[in-house]
Amino acid sequence: MVFSGMPSNHIVGTDQIISGIDADSRRSLTISSPGKLNVFLEVPGKRQDGYHELETVMLRTNLADQLSVRSNITGALSLTFSDATTEAMRSGVPLDGRNLILKAAEAIRLRLNAPFGAEFILHKRIPPESGLGGGSGNAAAALILCRQLWNAPLSDADLHEIAASLGSDINFLLSGHRAAVCRGRGEVIESISVSRRLHFVAFRPRKGNSTADVFRATSLRGELRSSADIVRNLADSNSGQLASLIFNRLTEVASKLNPEMATLMARLQHIARRPVFMSGSGSTVFVVADNVQDAAGLLLKVRGSLKICGWVLKC
Ligand code: C5P
């Protein structure tokens, strides 16, 4: 497969992997698996391959899962949750071959044509079907861990090629960039600079959104927006107008598919007295905070009023 343009990629450094030896003398590796927040998402068109063309600005978040792996000499691939992963985080996350972690490991095995085994343990903190890139980040983490665990002779470009074949957001989370404009299906990434610390407060309704359903219901009409203004704003250390530039083309259709999310957006806007946005295909919605104190205060206020889960996201 020829891999389409990939300006300025680099992989999350292997120095971020924590290496250890288990009680039964097996090598274990652990890596943080961060998620993303979309602060801009336009859909310029539909592609021949059935996917949609994207122009999206993604920010890497401090909210992260953690993925560990150790080798398995029987050649089996397995995935379990950490004991500390809550019931809410487990719900709807398959532990079989449908999970992107096992798909990523399998894709590397196929490339190497070698029967390597691996046991993964996932500590999940990023809610599933939330538009925060939990599953995509897990796939990126699995690619990095498998390359290391199996001493696989794969270049960074090889990992990016596998990532692109598995899903749309994986390349960004594999790249280790703090922020990027992502085009194509989302896999063509261009690093951008962010000159200040950004704080958001995010909330997820009980019901998640299916990315495929949201894209399927999206109709392409209206004037296309460009990410240029928000990219400029992020690079400017003094600018405070970020909220006025945040945009997500999928919000309207996702609100129709998930009325609970639409209600949450309205309530949040009323309580927080500021605009509310959706990340990716949802169902996580978020507001911009002025600083970490503002974010923490807002989180407490909304949790108290609406009794829902929320997170302060630092990007
Ligand atoms: O890439 P990912 O697996 O997250 O996408 C899930 C589904 O969302 C795809 O199967 C496709 O139906 C839809 N999608 C799309 N255009 C994109 C990304 C996703 O139509 N750029």
Side-chain angles (χ1 to χ4, degrees), residues 19-210:
S19 185
I21 303 289
D22 274 9
D24 57 0
S25 303
R26 275 192 286 171
R27 185 178 176 216
S28 78
L29 303 172
T30 297
I31 194 168
S32 173
S33 170
K36 54 85 182 171
L37 191 75
N38 300 80
V39 287
F40 179 90
L41 194 158
E42 179 58 287
V43 185
K46 184 136 194 224
R47 296 156 54 108
Q48 299 275 330
D49 60 9
Y51 279 80
H52 291 77
E53 199 65 32
L54 295 183
E55 178 174 340
T56 181
V57 177
M58 295 203 225
L59 306 176
R60 195 183 61 215
T61 65
N62 64 324
L63 182 63
D65 294 338
Q66 192 176 60
L67 188 65
S68 299
V69 71
R70 54 185 195 167
S71 57
N72 179 342
I73 49 165
T74 69
L77 291 177
S78 68
L79 171 63
T80 51
F81 289 117
S82 68
D83 291 346
T85 298
T86 63
E87 276 311 314
M89 290 295 155
R90 294 175 189 225
S91 155
V93 180
L95 293 177
D96 56 21
R98 288 168 298 168
N99 193 296
L100 278 171
I101 293 169
L102 297 183
K103 282 187 183 173
E106 186 60 41
I108 290 196
R109 281 208 312 197
L110 277 173
R111 268 289 177 108
L112 301 175
N113 198 18
F116 294 125
E119 294 170 11
F120 291 96
I121 300 174
L122 174 62
H123 180 58
K124 193 130 198 67
R125 297 193 193 95
I126 304 174
E129 292 197 322
S130 64
L132 293 177
S136 299
N138 293 168
L143 290 175
I144 295 164
L145 288 179
C146 286
R147 178 169 73 171
Q148 180 96 349
L149 184 75
W150 298 332
N151 292 320
L154 295 172
S155 66
D156 291 358
D158 292 334
L159 285 200
H160 271 285
E161 189 179 318
I162 298 171
S165 73
L166 295 171
S168 304
D169 299 337
I170 304 174
N171 293 92
F172 170 64
L173 292 162
L174 185 62
S175 75
H177 293 312
R178 182 178 171 197
V181 182
C182 306
R183 297 190 174 84
R185 281 194 294 121
E187 86 286 16
V188 182
I189 56 178
E190 182 187 346
S191 173
I192 57 170
S193 65
V194 180
S195 58
R196 57 196 196 272
R197 202 82 172 118
L198 300 169
H199 297 91
F200 304 91
V201 194
F203 299 91
R204 184 186 181 275
R206 272 183 311 255
K207 188 172 172 296
N209 290 351
S210 149

Side-chain angles (χ1 to χ4, degrees), residues 205 255 258-270 276 285 306:
S255 300
N258 187 346
E260 186 194 341
M261 185 192 84
T263 305
L264 173 61
M265 289 182 85
R267 287 195 178 153
L268 198 51
Q269 185 150 1
H270 182 71
V276 181
V285 298
L306 300 181

